[in-house]
Amino acid sequence: MNKALRKAVIAGNWKMNKTPAEARELLEAIKPLVKDADCDVIACVPFVDLDAALETVKGSNIAIGAENCHWEASGAYTGEISAPMLASMQVPYVIIGHSERRTYFGETDVTVNKRVRAALDNGLTVILCVGEYLEQREQGVTDEVVAMQTKIALMGVSAEELKRIIIAYEPVWAIGTGKTATAAQANEVCAMIRATVAGLYSKEDADALTIQYGGSMNAKNAEELLDQPDVDGGLIGGASLKPADFAEIVKAASR
Ligand code: 13P
C-alpha cells in the first residue's frame, strides 16, 4: 500500500504559547512519553523558544521547527525572522502558510510561495499549510481552493525539493473549534491534494509525499483520522501543549 512508502509525521504547533522556561518544561515532559515512537515527532515553537527547545531535545527523537520565516535573507522587515537565521541555528523544520498567518497577518498564496522558496533554499523542511474556510466548504469550492493554494505554494519547487515538503491540510473551520473534519472528509481532501501533486510532478513523487491533517486532532479522534489511507500524520495545536494527549496521538501514528 502506498501509505507504507511514507513515514507518519506528528508535529505540534505551539502557536503563541510558552516562554523558553516553559518550553523546556513541556519538552522534558513529552520526551519520555514519545521516546519509542515509530513516527517522526516534531515540535514547532515560537522563535524565542527555539534555542531552549533545540537544547532540550538534543539526543532525543524530537525535532524542532519554527512557525514561520520571511522570504528575504535580511533587510528592513521589522519583526520578521529569515530562513538563513533559522538555518544558522540548525532548525530543521518550519511551518509556512498557516491559516492564522493568512487570516490575521495578510499572508497570500504568493507570499506563502516566496517563504517556501526561501526555506527550501536554506535547507529547511517545510510544513506547508492549506485549507478552506467554512463558507468555501459550504459553497462547494473546497477542492478548487485547496488545489489552488497547493499549486501556487509549490511554484518553482523541483521534484527533488518536494522531498523536503510536508503538506498539512487544515480546514480553517476545524482549527481550535473542537469541530474535527470527519475521517472521510479529511481523507477526501488529502487524496485530492495528492492527486494535484501527482499532476504537477509524478505519481511516484505524490506517493512519497507526507500529507497531514490538522484541526482539533486529539487523543480521542487521532486513531480514526490517522487510519485513513491518505492521512499520513497530524499537525496538532491545542493537544500538543498537553504531554499525555500529544503522546497518545504519537502512539496512534506509530501503530
Ligand atoms: P488545533 O489542534 O488547536 O485545532 O490547531 C490546529 C492547528 O492549527 C495546527 O496548526
Coordinates of all heavy atoms in Angstrom, one line a residue, residues 5-97:
L5 N 4.9 3.6 2.0 CA 6.0 4.3 1.5 C 6.4 5.6 2.3 O 7.4 6.2 2.1 CB 5.7 4.8 0.0 CG 5.4 3.8 -1.0 CD1 4.9 4.4 -2.3 CD2 6.6 2.9 -1.3
R6 N 5.4 6.0 3.2 CA 5.6 7.3 3.8 C 5.7 7.1 5.3 O 5.0 6.3 5.9 CB 4.4 8.2 3.5 CG 4.1 8.3 2.1 CD 3.0 9.3 1.9 NE 1.6 8.7 2.1 CZ 0.9 8.1 1.2 NH1 1.4 7.9 0.0 NH2 -0.3 7.6 1.5
K7 N 6.6 7.8 6.0 CA 6.6 7.8 7.4 C 5.6 8.8 8.0 O 5.5 9.9 7.5 CB 8.1 8.2 7.9 CG 8.3 7.8 9.3 CD 9.7 7.7 9.7 CE 9.8 7.0 11.1 NZ 11.1 6.9 11.6
A8 N 4.9 8.3 9.0 CA 4.0 9.2 9.6 C 4.7 10.3 10.3 O 5.8 10.1 10.9 CB 3.1 8.5 10.6
V9 N 4.2 11.5 10.3 CA 4.8 12.7 11.0 C 3.8 13.3 11.9 O 2.7 13.8 11.4 CB 5.3 13.7 9.9 CG1 6.0 14.9 10.7 CG2 6.3 13.1 9.0
I10 N 4.1 13.4 13.1 CA 3.2 14.1 14.1 C 4.0 15.4 14.5 O 5.1 15.3 15.1 CB 2.9 13.3 15.3 CG1 2.1 12.0 14.9 CG2 2.1 14.1 16.3 CD1 0.7 12.3 14.3
A11 N 3.4 16.5 14.2 CA 4.0 17.8 14.6 C 3.1 18.6 15.5 O 1.9 18.8 15.2 CB 4.3 18.6 13.3
G12 N 3.7 19.1 16.5 CA 3.0 20.1 17.4 C 3.2 21.5 16.8 O 4.3 21.8 16.4
N13 N 2.1 22.3 16.9 CA 2.2 23.7 16.5 C 1.8 24.4 17.8 O 0.7 24.5 18.1 CB 1.3 24.0 15.4 CG 1.3 25.5 15.1 OD1 2.1 26.3 15.7 ND2 0.4 26.0 14.3
W14 N 2.8 24.9 18.5 CA 2.5 25.5 19.8 C 1.9 26.9 19.7 O 1.4 27.5 20.6 CB 3.9 25.7 20.6 CG 4.4 24.4 21.1 CD1 4.0 23.1 20.8 CD2 5.5 24.2 22.0 NE1 4.8 22.2 21.5 CE2 5.7 22.8 22.2 CE3 6.3 25.1 22.7 CZ2 6.7 22.3 23.1 CZ3 7.3 24.6 23.6 CH2 7.5 23.2 23.8
K15 N 2.0 27.5 18.5 CA 1.4 28.8 18.2 C 2.0 29.8 19.2 O 3.2 29.7 19.5 CB -0.1 28.8 18.3 CG -0.7 27.7 17.4 CD -2.2 27.7 17.2 CE -2.6 26.6 16.3 NZ -4.0 26.6 16.0
M16 N 1.3 30.8 19.7 CA 1.9 31.8 20.6 C 1.8 31.4 22.0 O 1.0 32.1 22.8 CB 1.3 33.2 20.3 CG 2.1 34.4 20.9 SD 1.4 36.0 20.5 CE -0.1 36.1 21.4
N17 N 2.4 30.3 22.4 CA 2.3 29.8 23.7 C 3.7 29.4 24.2 O 4.5 28.9 23.4 CB 1.4 28.6 23.8 CG 0.0 28.9 23.5 OD1 -0.7 29.6 24.4 ND2 -0.6 28.5 22.4
K18 N 4.0 29.6 25.5 CA 5.2 29.1 26.2 C 6.4 30.0 26.1 O 6.8 30.4 25.0 CB 5.6 27.7 25.8 CG 4.5 26.6 25.8 CD 4.1 26.4 27.3 CE 2.8 25.5 27.3 NZ 2.3 25.4 28.7
T19 N 6.9 30.4 27.3 CA 8.1 31.1 27.4 C 9.3 30.0 27.2 O 9.0 28.8 27.3 CB 8.3 31.7 28.8 OG1 8.3 30.6 29.8 CG2 7.1 32.6 29.1
P20 N 10.5 30.5 27.1 CA 11.6 29.5 27.0 C 11.6 28.5 28.2 O 11.8 27.3 28.0 CB 12.9 30.4 26.9 CG 12.4 31.6 26.3 CD 11.0 31.8 26.8
A21 N 11.4 29.0 29.4 CA 11.5 28.1 30.6 C 10.3 27.1 30.5 O 10.5 25.9 30.8 CB 11.4 28.9 31.8
E22 N 9.2 27.6 30.1 CA 8.0 26.7 29.9 C 8.2 25.7 28.8 O 7.7 24.6 28.9 CB 6.7 27.5 29.7 CG 6.3 28.3 30.9 CD 5.2 29.4 30.6 OE1 5.0 29.7 29.4 OE2 4.6 29.9 31.5
A23 N 8.9 26.1 27.8 CA 9.2 25.2 26.6 C 10.0 24.1 27.1 O 9.8 22.9 26.7 CB 9.8 26.0 25.5
R24 N 11.0 24.4 27.8 CA 11.9 23.4 28.4 C 11.1 22.4 29.2 O 11.3 21.2 29.0 CB 12.9 24.0 29.3 CG 14.4 24.1 28.8 CD 15.2 24.7 29.9 NE 15.7 26.0 29.5 CZ 16.8 26.2 28.7 NH1 17.5 25.2 28.3 NH2 17.2 27.4 28.3
E25 N 10.3 22.9 30.0 CA 9.5 22.0 30.9 C 8.5 21.1 30.1 O 8.4 19.9 30.4 CB 8.7 22.9 31.8 CG 8.1 22.3 33.1 CD 7.3 23.3 33.9 OE1 7.7 24.5 33.9 OE2 6.3 22.9 34.5
L26 N 7.9 21.7 29.1 CA 6.9 20.9 28.3 C 7.7 19.8 27.5 O 7.2 18.7 27.5 CB 6.2 21.9 27.4 CG 5.2 21.3 26.4 CD1 4.2 20.4 27.1 CD2 4.5 22.3 25.6
L27 N 8.8 20.2 26.9 CA 9.6 19.2 26.2 C 10.1 18.1 27.1 O 10.2 16.9 26.7 CB 10.7 19.9 25.3 CG 10.2 20.7 24.1 CD1 11.2 21.6 23.6 CD2 9.7 19.7 23.0
E28 N 10.6 18.5 28.2 CA 11.1 17.4 29.2 C 9.9 16.5 29.5 O 10.2 15.3 29.7 CB 11.6 18.1 30.5 CG 12.9 18.8 30.3 CD 14.1 17.9 30.0 OE1 13.9 16.7 29.8 OE2 15.2 18.4 29.8
A29 N 8.7 17.0 29.6 CA 7.6 16.1 29.9 C 7.2 15.2 28.7 O 6.8 14.0 28.9 CB 6.4 17.0 30.3
I30 N 7.4 15.8 27.5 CA 7.0 15.0 26.3 C 8.0 13.9 26.0 O 7.7 12.8 25.6 CB 6.8 15.9 25.1 CG1 5.6 16.9 25.3 CG2 6.6 15.2 23.8 CD1 5.4 18.0 24.3
K31 N 9.3 14.3 26.2 CA 10.4 13.4 25.8 C 10.2 11.9 26.1 O 10.2 11.0 25.3 CB 11.7 13.9 26.3 CG 12.5 14.7 25.4 CD 14.0 14.8 25.7 CE 14.3 15.6 27.0 NZ 15.7 15.9 27.1
P32 N 10.0 11.6 27.4 CA 10.0 10.2 27.8 C 8.7 9.5 27.2 O 8.7 8.3 27.0 CB 9.9 10.2 29.3 CG 9.5 11.5 29.7 CD 10.0 12.5 28.6
L33 N 7.7 10.3 27.0 CA 6.4 9.7 26.6 C 6.4 9.3 25.1 O 5.6 8.5 24.7 CB 5.2 10.7 26.8 CG 5.0 11.2 28.2 CD1 3.9 12.2 28.3 CD2 4.8 10.0 29.2
V34 N 7.3 9.9 24.3 CA 7.3 9.6 22.9 C 8.6 8.9 22.4 O 8.8 8.7 21.3 CB 7.1 10.9 22.0 CG1 5.8 11.6 22.4 CG2 8.3 11.9 22.2
K35 N 9.4 8.5 23.4 CA 10.7 8.0 23.0 C 10.7 6.8 22.2 O 11.6 6.5 21.4 CB 11.6 7.8 24.3 CG 11.2 6.7 25.2 CD 12.2 6.6 26.3 CE 12.1 5.4 27.2 NZ 10.8 4.6 27.3
D36 N 9.6 6.0 22.2 CA 9.5 4.7 21.4 C 8.7 4.9 20.2 O 8.2 4.0 19.6 CB 9.0 3.6 22.3 CG 9.9 3.3 23.5 OD1 11.1 3.3 23.3 OD2 9.3 3.1 24.6
A37 N 8.5 6.2 19.8 CA 7.6 6.4 18.6 C 8.1 5.8 17.4 O 9.3 5.8 17.1 CB 7.5 7.9 18.4
D38 N 7.2 5.3 16.6 CA 7.5 4.8 15.3 C 7.0 5.7 14.2 O 6.4 5.3 13.2 CB 6.9 3.4 15.1 CG 7.5 2.7 13.8 OD1 8.6 3.1 13.4 OD2 6.8 1.8 13.3
C39 N 7.2 7.0 14.5 CA 6.8 8.0 13.5 C 7.8 9.2 13.8 O 8.4 9.2 14.9 CB 5.4 8.5 13.7 SG 5.0 9.2 15.2
D40 N 7.8 10.2 12.9 CA 8.6 11.4 13.2 C 7.8 12.3 14.1 O 6.6 12.4 14.0 CB 9.0 12.1 11.9 CG 10.0 11.4 11.1 OD1 10.6 10.4 11.6 OD2 10.2 11.7 9.9
V41 N 8.5 12.9 15.1 CA 7.9 13.7 16.1 C 8.6 15.1 16.0 O 9.8 15.2 16.1 CB 8.0 13.2 17.5 CG1 7.3 14.1 18.5 CG2 7.5 11.7 17.6
I42 N 7.7 16.1 15.8 CA 8.3 17.5 15.7 C 7.5 18.4 16.6 O 6.3 18.3 16.8 CB 8.1 18.0 14.2 CG1 8.7 17.0 13.2 CG2 8.6 19.4 14.1 CD1 8.3 17.3 11.8
A43 N 8.2 19.4 17.2 CA 7.6 20.5 18.0 C 7.9 21.8 17.3 O 9.1 22.1 17.3 CB 8.0 20.4 19.4
C44 N 6.9 22.5 16.8 CA 7.1 23.8 16.2 C 6.8 24.9 17.3 O 5.7 24.9 17.8 CB 6.3 24.0 15.0 SG 6.7 22.8 13.7
V45 N 7.8 25.7 17.6 CA 7.7 26.6 18.8 C 7.9 28.0 18.4 O 8.5 28.3 17.3 CB 8.8 26.1 19.8 CG1 8.6 24.6 20.1 CG2 10.2 26.4 19.3
P46 N 7.5 29.0 19.2 CA 7.8 30.4 19.0 C 9.3 30.6 18.8 O 10.1 29.9 19.4 CB 7.3 31.1 20.2 CG 6.2 30.1 20.8 CD 6.7 28.7 20.5
F47 N 9.6 31.7 18.0 CA 11.0 32.0 17.7 C 11.9 32.0 19.0 O 13.0 31.5 19.1 CB 11.2 33.3 17.0 CG 10.6 33.2 15.6 CD1 9.7 34.1 15.1 CD2 11.0 32.2 14.7 CE1 9.1 34.1 13.8 CE2 10.5 32.2 13.4 CZ 9.6 33.1 13.0
V48 N 11.3 32.7 20.0 CA 12.2 33.0 21.2 C 12.4 31.7 22.0 O 13.3 31.6 22.9 CB 11.5 34.0 22.2 CG1 11.5 35.4 21.6 CG2 10.2 33.6 22.7
D49 N 11.7 30.6 21.7 CA 11.9 29.3 22.4 C 12.8 28.4 21.7 O 13.2 27.3 22.2 CB 10.5 28.6 22.5 CG 9.5 29.3 23.4 OD1 9.9 30.2 24.2 OD2 8.3 28.9 23.4
L50 N 13.2 28.8 20.4 CA 14.0 27.8 19.6 C 15.3 27.4 20.3 O 15.6 26.2 20.3 CB 14.3 28.5 18.2 CG 13.1 28.5 17.3 CD1 13.5 29.4 16.1 CD2 12.7 27.2 16.8
D51 N 16.0 28.3 20.8 CA 17.3 28.0 21.4 C 17.1 26.9 22.6 O 17.7 25.9 22.6 CB 17.9 29.2 22.0 CG 19.4 29.1 22.2 OD1 20.0 28.3 21.4 OD2 20.0 29.7 23.1
A52 N 16.2 27.2 23.5 CA 15.9 26.3 24.6 C 15.4 25.0 24.1 O 15.8 23.9 24.6 CB 14.9 27.0 25.6
A53 N 14.5 25.0 23.1 CA 13.9 23.8 22.6 C 15.0 22.9 22.0 O 15.0 21.7 22.2 CB 12.8 24.1 21.6
L54 N 15.8 23.5 21.1 CA 16.9 22.7 20.5 C 17.8 22.0 21.5 O 18.2 20.9 21.3 CB 17.7 23.6 19.5 CG 17.0 24.1 18.3 CD1 17.7 25.3 17.6 CD2 16.9 22.9 17.3
E55 N 18.1 22.8 22.5 CA 19.0 22.3 23.5 C 18.3 21.1 24.3 O 18.9 20.1 24.6 CB 19.4 23.4 24.5 CG 20.5 23.1 25.4 CD 20.7 24.2 26.4 OE1 21.0 25.3 26.0 OE2 20.5 24.0 27.6
T56 N 17.0 21.3 24.6 CA 16.3 20.3 25.4 C 16.1 19.0 24.7 O 16.1 18.0 25.3 CB 14.9 20.9 25.9 OG1 15.1 22.2 26.4 CG2 14.2 20.0 26.8
V57 N 15.9 19.1 23.4 CA 15.6 17.8 22.7 C 16.9 17.1 22.2 O 16.8 16.0 21.6 CB 14.7 18.0 21.5 CG1 13.4 18.6 21.9 CG2 15.4 18.8 20.4
K58 N 18.1 17.7 22.4 CA 19.3 17.0 22.0 C 19.4 15.6 22.5 O 19.1 15.3 23.6 CB 20.5 17.8 22.6 CG 21.4 18.4 21.5 CD 22.5 19.1 22.0 CE 22.7 20.4 21.3 NZ 23.5 21.4 22.0
G59 N 19.7 14.7 21.5 CA 19.8 13.2 21.9 C 18.5 12.5 22.0 O 18.4 11.3 22.3
S60 N 17.4 13.2 21.7 CA 16.0 12.6 21.8 C 15.5 12.4 20.3 O 16.2 12.8 19.4 CB 15.1 13.4 22.6 OG 14.6 14.5 21.8
N61 N 14.4 11.8 20.2 CA 13.8 11.6 18.9 C 12.8 12.8 18.5 O 12.0 12.6 17.6 CB 13.1 10.3 18.8 CG 11.9 10.2 19.8 OD1 12.0 10.8 20.9 ND2 10.9 9.4 19.5
I62 N 12.9 13.9 19.2 CA 12.0 15.0 18.9 C 12.8 16.0 18.0 O 14.0 16.4 18.4 CB 11.5 15.7 20.1 CG1 10.7 14.7 21.0 CG2 10.6 16.9 19.8 CD1 10.3 15.3 22.3
A63 N 12.2 16.5 16.9 CA 12.9 17.5 16.1 C 12.1 18.9 16.4 O 11.0 18.8 16.8 CB 12.8 17.2 14.7
I64 N 12.8 19.9 16.1 CA 12.2 21.3 16.4 C 12.0 22.0 15.1 O 12.7 21.9 14.1 CB 13.2 22.1 17.3 CG1 13.3 21.4 18.7 CG2 12.7 23.5 17.5 CD1 12.0 21.2 19.5
G65 N 10.9 22.8 15.1 CA 10.6 23.6 13.9 C 10.2 25.0 14.4 O 9.8 25.2 15.6
A66 N 10.3 26.0 13.4 CA 9.8 27.3 13.7 C 8.4 27.4 13.1 O 7.9 26.5 12.4 CB 10.7 28.3 13.0
E67 N 7.7 28.5 13.3 CA 6.3 28.6 12.9 C 6.1 29.5 11.7 O 5.0 29.7 11.2 CB 5.5 29.2 14.1 CG 5.5 28.2 15.3 CD 4.7 28.8 16.5 OE1 4.0 29.8 16.3 OE2 4.8 28.2 17.6
N68 N 7.2 30.1 11.2 CA 7.1 31.0 10.0 C 8.5 31.4 9.7 O 9.5 31.2 10.5 CB 6.3 32.2 10.4 CG 6.0 33.1 9.1 OD1 6.0 32.6 8.0 ND2 5.8 34.4 9.4
C69 N 8.8 31.9 8.4 CA 10.0 32.6 8.1 C 9.7 33.6 7.0 O 8.8 33.4 6.2 CB 11.2 31.6 7.8 SG 11.0 30.8 6.2
H70 N 10.5 34.6 6.9 CA 10.4 35.6 5.8 C 11.1 35.1 4.6 O 11.9 34.2 4.6 CB 11.0 36.9 6.3 CG 10.5 38.1 5.4 ND1 11.2 38.6 4.4 CD2 9.3 38.8 5.5 CE1 10.5 39.6 3.8 NE2 9.4 39.7 4.5
W71 N 10.7 35.8 3.4 CA 11.3 35.3 2.1 C 12.6 36.0 1.8 O 13.4 35.5 1.1 CB 10.3 35.6 1.0 CG 9.8 37.0 0.8 CD1 10.5 38.0 0.1 CD2 8.6 37.5 1.3 NE1 9.7 39.1 0.2 CE2 8.6 38.9 0.9 CE3 7.6 37.0 2.1 CZ2 7.5 39.7 1.2 CZ3 6.5 37.9 2.4 CH2 6.5 39.2 2.0
E72 N 12.9 37.1 2.4 CA 14.2 37.8 2.2 C 15.2 37.3 3.2 O 14.8 36.9 4.3 CB 14.1 39.3 2.3 CG 13.3 40.0 1.2 CD 13.9 39.9 -0.1 OE1 15.1 39.6 -0.2 OE2 13.2 40.1 -1.1
A73 N 16.5 37.3 2.9 CA 17.5 36.9 3.8 C 17.8 37.8 4.9 O 18.1 37.4 6.1 CB 18.8 36.6 3.0
S74 N 17.6 39.1 4.6 CA 17.8 40.2 5.6 C 17.2 41.5 5.1 O 16.8 41.5 3.9 CB 19.3 40.4 5.9 OG 19.9 40.8 4.7
G75 N 17.1 42.5 5.9 CA 16.6 43.8 5.5 C 15.6 44.4 6.4 O 15.4 44.0 7.5
A76 N 14.9 45.4 5.8 CA 14.0 46.3 6.6 C 12.6 45.6 6.7 O 11.7 46.0 6.0 CB 14.0 47.7 6.0
Y77 N 12.5 44.6 7.5 CA 11.2 43.9 7.7 C 11.0 43.7 9.2 O 11.2 42.6 9.7 CB 11.3 42.5 7.0 CG 11.5 42.7 5.5 CD1 12.7 42.5 4.9 CD2 10.4 43.1 4.7 CE1 12.9 42.7 3.6 CE2 10.6 43.3 3.3 CZ 11.8 43.1 2.8 OH 12.0 43.3 1.4
T78 N 10.7 44.8 9.9 CA 10.6 44.8 11.3 C 9.7 43.6 11.9 O 8.6 43.4 11.4 CB 10.0 46.1 11.8 OG1 10.8 47.2 11.3 CG2 9.9 46.2 13.3
G79 N 10.3 42.9 12.8 CA 9.5 41.8 13.4 C 9.6 40.5 12.7 O 9.1 39.5 13.3
E80 N 10.3 40.4 11.6 CA 10.3 39.2 10.8 C 11.6 38.4 11.1 O 12.6 39.0 11.6 CB 10.2 39.4 9.3 CG 8.8 39.9 8.9 CD 7.8 38.7 8.9 OE1 8.1 37.7 8.3 OE2 6.7 39.0 9.3
I81 N 11.6 37.1 10.8 CA 12.8 36.3 11.0 C 13.1 35.6 9.7 O 12.1 35.1 9.0 CB 12.5 35.2 12.1 CG1 12.2 35.8 13.4 CG2 13.6 34.1 12.2 CD1 13.3 36.4 14.2
S82 N 14.3 35.5 9.3 CA 14.6 35.0 7.9 C 15.0 33.5 8.0 O 15.4 33.0 9.0 CB 15.7 35.8 7.3 OG 17.0 35.4 7.9
A83 N 14.9 32.9 6.8 CA 15.3 31.4 6.7 C 16.7 31.2 7.1 O 17.1 30.3 7.8 CB 14.9 30.9 5.4
P84 N 17.7 32.1 6.6 CA 19.1 31.9 7.0 C 19.3 32.0 8.5 O 20.2 31.4 9.1 CB 19.8 33.0 6.3 CG 18.9 33.4 5.1 CD 17.5 33.1 5.6
M85 N 18.5 32.8 9.2 CA 18.6 32.9 10.6 C 18.2 31.6 11.3 O 18.9 31.1 12.2 CB 17.6 34.0 11.2 CG 18.1 35.4 10.8 SD 16.8 36.6 11.4 CE 17.5 38.1 10.9
L86 N 17.1 31.0 10.8 CA 16.7 29.7 11.3 C 17.8 28.6 11.0 O 18.2 27.8 11.8 CB 15.4 29.2 10.7 CG 14.2 30.1 11.0 CD1 12.9 29.6 10.4 CD2 14.0 30.2 12.6
A87 N 18.3 28.7 9.7 CA 19.3 27.7 9.3 C 20.6 27.8 10.2 O 21.2 26.8 10.5 CB 19.6 27.9 7.8
S88 N 20.9 29.1 10.5 CA 22.1 29.3 11.3 C 22.0 28.6 12.7 O 23.0 28.3 13.4 CB 22.4 30.8 11.5 OG 21.5 31.3 12.4
M89 N 20.7 28.5 13.2 CA 20.5 27.8 14.5 C 20.3 26.3 14.3 O 20.1 25.6 15.3 CB 19.2 28.4 15.1 CG 19.3 29.8 15.5 SD 17.7 30.3 16.3 CE 17.9 29.6 17.9
Q90 N 20.4 25.9 13.1 CA 20.2 24.4 12.7 C 18.8 24.0 13.1 O 18.6 22.9 13.6 CB 21.2 23.5 13.3 CG 22.5 23.8 12.6 CD 23.7 23.2 13.4 OE1 23.8 23.2 14.6 NE2 24.7 22.7 12.6
V91 N 17.8 24.9 12.8 CA 16.4 24.5 12.9 C 16.0 23.7 11.7 O 16.2 24.2 10.6 CB 15.5 25.8 13.1 CG1 14.0 25.4 13.0 CG2 15.9 26.5 14.3
P92 N 15.6 22.5 11.8 CA 15.3 21.7 10.6 C 14.0 21.9 9.9 O 13.8 21.7 8.7 CB 15.4 20.2 11.1 CG 15.2 20.3 12.6 CD 15.5 21.7 13.1
Y93 N 13.0 22.4 10.7 CA 11.6 22.5 10.1 C 11.0 23.9 10.3 O 11.4 24.6 11.2 CB 10.6 21.5 10.8 CG 10.9 20.0 10.6 CD1 11.7 19.3 11.4 CD2 10.3 19.4 9.5 CE1 12.0 17.9 11.2 CE2 10.6 18.1 9.2 CZ 11.4 17.3 10.1 OH 11.6 16.0 9.8
V94 N 10.1 24.2 9.3 CA 9.4 25.5 9.5 C 8.0 25.3 8.9 O 7.8 24.8 7.9 CB 10.2 26.7 8.9 CG1 10.3 26.5 7.3 CG2 9.5 28.0 9.1
I95 N 7.0 25.8 9.7 CA 5.6 25.9 9.2 C 5.5 27.1 8.3 O 6.0 28.2 8.6 CB 4.6 26.0 10.3 CG1 4.7 24.8 11.3 CG2 3.2 26.2 9.8 CD1 3.8 24.9 12.5
I96 N 4.9 26.9 7.1 CA 4.6 28.1 6.3 C 3.2 28.1 5.9 O 2.6 27.0 5.6 CB 5.5 28.0 4.9 CG1 7.0 27.9 5.2 CG2 5.2 29.2 4.1 CD1 7.7 29.1 5.5
G97 N 2.5 29.3 5.9 CA 1.2 29.4 5.3 C 0.1 29.0 6.2 O -1.0 28.6 5.8

